[in-house]
C-alpha cells in the first residue's frame, strides 16, 4: 500500500520560508547538493514518528489572496509514476505538474484530487535524469 513519505513546501522566497519554519517549529534546513535548488527539511530526530520534507522555489504564480486553503504538498511513494498518473486521471483527478526527473533521486509528478487538492507522486530511481 503506497504511503506518504515526504512533504514539500513551495516558496516564492525560500530563505524567508526557511527562517519562518526554523523559528516556529525548530525545523532544520540543509541545501541539497544535487543539481536543483532544493532544501531538505529535518522535522525531528531519526527514528521518531513523523516524516521529513523539502522546500523548493515555487514553479508558478503564488496562490490568490482569499483562497480557502493553501498548503504544502504531501508526496506518496509509488512503484510507477506513469501508472499512478493514469489512475489519477481515470478516477477524476488531474495532473498539476507532469512527470519530471529529480536527477539521482527519482521521478515526480503533481496531481490534483477531485477536490482540487495537490499531492505529489514519487517513484524512486537513482538513474533518473
Amino acid at each position: 500500500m503506497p504511503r506518504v513519505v515526504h512533504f514539500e513546501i513551495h516558496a516564492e522566497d525560500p530563505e524567508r520560508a526557511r527562517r519562518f519554519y526554523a523559528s516556529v517549529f525548530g525545523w532544520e534546513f540543509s541545501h541539497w547538493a544535487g543539481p536543483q535548488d532544493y532544501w531538505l527539511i529535518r522535522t525531528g530526530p531519526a527514528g521518531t514518528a513523523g516524516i521529513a520534507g523539502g522546500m523548493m522555489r515555487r514553479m508558478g504564480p503564488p496562490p490568490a489572496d482569499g483562497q480557502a486553503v493553501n498548503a504544502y504538498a504531501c508526496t506518496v511513494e509509488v512503484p510507477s509514476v506513469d501508472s499512478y498518473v493514469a489512475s489519477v486521471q481515470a478516477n477524476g483527478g488531474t495532473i498539476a505538474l507532469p512527470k519530471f526527473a529529480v536527477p539521482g533521486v527519482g521521478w515526480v509528478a503533481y496531481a490534483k484530487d477531485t477536490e482540487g487538492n495537490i499531492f505529489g507522486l514519487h517513484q524512486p530511481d537513482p538513474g533518473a535524469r
Side-chain angles (χ1 to χ4, degrees):
M1 176 183 312
R3 296 186 63 195
V4 175
V5 296
H6 184 76
F7 72 87
E8 194 165 75
I9 300 169
H10 292 227
E12 182 178 351
D13 182 339
E15 181 57 26
R16 179 177 61 208
R18 185 202 62 76
R19 285 191 310 267
F20 173 82
Y21 286 102
S23 294
V24 172
F25 298 117
W27 292 353
E28 297 172 359
F29 290 74
S30 59
H31 196 263
W32 183 49
Q36 293 175 257
D37 209 12
Y38 197 86
W39 294 262
L40 301 173
I41 305 170
R42 183 172 167 250
T43 62
T48 61
I51 60 174
M55 182 172 61
M56 62 188 289
R57 291 190 189 282
R58 191 180 309 283
M59 297 168 69
D65 285 340
Q67 183 175 345
V69 175
N70 178 36
Y72 16 95
C74 287
T75 300
V76 180
E77 184 174 300
V78 296
S80 167
V81 165
D82 293 329
S83 65
Y84 277 80
V85 162
S87 181
V88 163
Q89 292 172 318
N91 287 284
T94 60
I95 301 307
L97 189 61
K99 181 175 116 174
F100 62 93
V102 177
V105 176
W107 299 97
V108 176
Y110 290 91
K112 286 186 181 181
D113 66 14
T114 56
E115 311 312 305
N117 298 308
I118 293 178
F119 60 94
L121 300 168
H122 173 253
Q123 174 187 336
D125 179 0
R129 298 277 176 254

